[in-house]
Amino acid sequence: MAKTELTIVCPGLARLVGQQINAASIPPVLAKIIKKSHFVADQTGLARLLFNHFSQTPIKDTDLPVVSLFDPTSSAIKADPCYLHPDRDRLLVFADNLDITQQESTALISEIQPLLEEFNGQLLALDSDSWLLTLTDMPKLSFTALPEVSGKGVDGQLPQGDDQRAWVRLWNEIQMQLYDADINQQRIAAGKLPINSVWFWGAGTFIAQKQAWTHVQGNDWLLEQLAEKSGIKLNESQDWSGQKLNSGKHLWLLDELDLEADWPLQLQIFNDNSLQALWWQLKKTNISKLTLQIPEHGQYVLTPLDVWKFWK
């Protein structure tokens, strides 16, 4: 009999399940899954987790080859806008939820572009908060993926390699150029954080595992790109109930849990609309394995046999 395996990726849960104070707010079925599963600790972040779900081999570099998803033949890296925040004796980098408009993006790129002539670089906006730096030749450097440094200190995370001195100098010059930029003064006056730097990353080659999954669903641009490279189209009519799982390997990426909102209600809805049905599917052995992955925390693996272990 063909097996049915389901992997559910749950971003945002790490801060909750890792703290005992939240135990009483975890809904019942989720609590049973956590209690009865085989747990493996894993600090891998969401972006790397998704890449490795579709890669032929695990990506162990500090960088993630996101540019190869757009154009695998181009000489380019990401140069994404970010905010550097001084915190005592270190700099923290932030790149999420900066609320950059298209007009602001255009103005910021105009400020930076003259500094790139020495490097034969052209800065382009893929989106208002996603920039691509095309180059004549790739620098001899290794980078650190922005999703894995955002919210953290930059020490030890700057580009490393033969061309390090020139590129760190460029990074510093961009900060000086943006410090007094009119567009940043306007952002500050409007109550926004200034865009006072960029982060270089995204180099490398991605080799997809073809047909890595039978079925994939989720609302995420990176998931969509990775699935496409693997020859899989995201399921447009998403079904989170688990009632119609066919045999094969299924991957679900849930929306990130909003910890600033009513997160117990969000978990309860997930519990009632998905986990209860999946629990019974496991009991009836319609699902051979359920894996609950929580980025930056670990994964819980549950089989039908585990469900019936009354002593756990």
Side-chain angles (χ1 to χ4, degrees):
M1 181 177 177
K3 294 183 177 180
T4 300
E5 299 181 2
L6 173 61
T7 297
I8 307 177
V9 182
C10 307
L13 262 179
R15 287 173 55 187
L16 300 181
V17 297
Q19 298 178 359
Q20 186 60 34
I21 193 173
N22 296 316
S25 299
I26 302 297
V29 180
L30 178 57
K32 285 194 292 186
I33 290 174
I34 290 173
K35 182 179 180 180
K36 291 178 176 287
S37 294
H38 302 274
F39 176 69
V40 178
D42 186 353
Q43 293 298 309
T44 303
L46 175 60
R48 186 174 297 274
L49 196 65
L50 291 179
F51 262 101
N52 285 338
H53 273 318
F54 293 90
S55 177
Q56 284 190 6
T57 57
I59 299 174
K60 298 181 179 180
D61 296 337
T62 56
D63 203 2
L64 291 172
V66 68
V67 171
S68 66
L69 298 180
F70 307 124
D71 185 356
T73 64
S74 68
S75 296
I77 59 174
K78 293 300 295 299
D80 285 334
C82 59
Y83 165 62
L84 292 181
H85 176 74
D87 179 49
R88 297 185 179 180
D89 59 347
R90 61 177 184 163
L91 280 175
L92 304 178
V93 58
F94 296 94
D96 299 323
N97 304 315
L98 293 176
D99 188 20
I100 306 172
T101 67
Q102 293 289 353
Q103 182 179 3
E104 289 171 339
S105 177
T106 300
L108 290 162
I109 288 175
S110 295
E111 291 281 347
I112 298 169
Q113 184 56 50
L115 301 175
L116 303 174
E117 293 180 1
E118 175 187 348
F119 296 82
N120 295 316
Q122 181 70 38
L123 191 57
L124 309 169
L126 300 173
D127 205 338
S128 60
D129 59 357
S130 176
W131 298 350
L132 185 71
L133 177 57
T134 61
L135 301 160
T136 303
D137 298 298
M138 288 291 288
K140 297 177 181 178
L141 292 170
S142 60
F143 302 95
T144 301
L146 180 56
E148 298 184 350
V149 74
S150 186
K152 302 174 184 177
V154 303
D155 291 348
Q157 309 296 338
L158 295 178
Q160 304 287 325
D162 294 347
D163 296 328
Q164 178 186 30
R165 179 175 295 181
W167 278 78
V168 172
R169 172 176 57 81
L170 171 63
W171 185 66
N172 287 323
E173 289 175 350
I174 289 173
Q175 293 170 50
M176 290 186 288
Q177 181 67 29
L178 294 178
Y179 182 80
D180 289 322
D182 291 341
I183 192 65
N184 269 329
Q185 301 309 310
Q186 295 169 20
R187 282 180 59 88
I188 293 171
K192 295 181 178 182
L193 292 173
I195 306 302
N196 57 10
S197 188
V198 299
W199 191 261
F200 302 122
W201 71 290
T205 302
F206 173 66
I207 302 176
Q209 178 184 351
K210 293 302 179 182
Q211 299 296 324
W213 299 87
T214 307
H215 166 270
V216 177
Q217 66 181 31
N219 300 304
D220 182 85
W221 72 269
L222 179 57
L223 179 69
E224 182 177 1
Q225 291 288 328
L226 290 167
E228 182 180 333
K229 291 294 182 182
S230 186
I232 304 168
K233 184 177 181 181
L234 260 64
N235 187 23
E236 296 178 353
S237 56
Q238 296 176 355
D239 175 20
W240 304 102
S241 69
Q243 297 284 3
K244 299 178 181 179
L245 288 178
N246 299 318
S247 61
K249 294 176 61 181
H250 302 257
L251 176 64
W252 293 1
L253 173 60
L254 304 183
D255 292 339
E256 184 164 3
L257 195 68
D258 187 354
L259 300 180
E260 302 301 321
D262 189 349
W263 61 263
L265 177 60
Q266 297 170 56
L267 285 182
Q268 190 64 52
I269 292 172
F270 175 46
N271 183 91
D272 297 346
N273 294 349
S274 296
L275 292 182
Q276 282 187 351
L278 294 173
W279 180 265
W280 285 108
Q281 294 274 47
L282 273 164
K283 270 196 165 185
K284 294 186 292 185
T285 68
N286 292 337
I287 298 176
S288 56
K289 183 170 71 173
L290 173 66
T291 302
L292 193 69
Q293 292 188 323
I294 303 176
E296 300 179 7
H297 176 72
Q299 67 176 22
Y300 298 88
V301 180
L302 192 67
T303 66
L305 180 61
D306 297 321
V307 170
W308 291 101
K309 290 180 178 177
F310 63 89
W311 59 89
K312 289 188 71 176

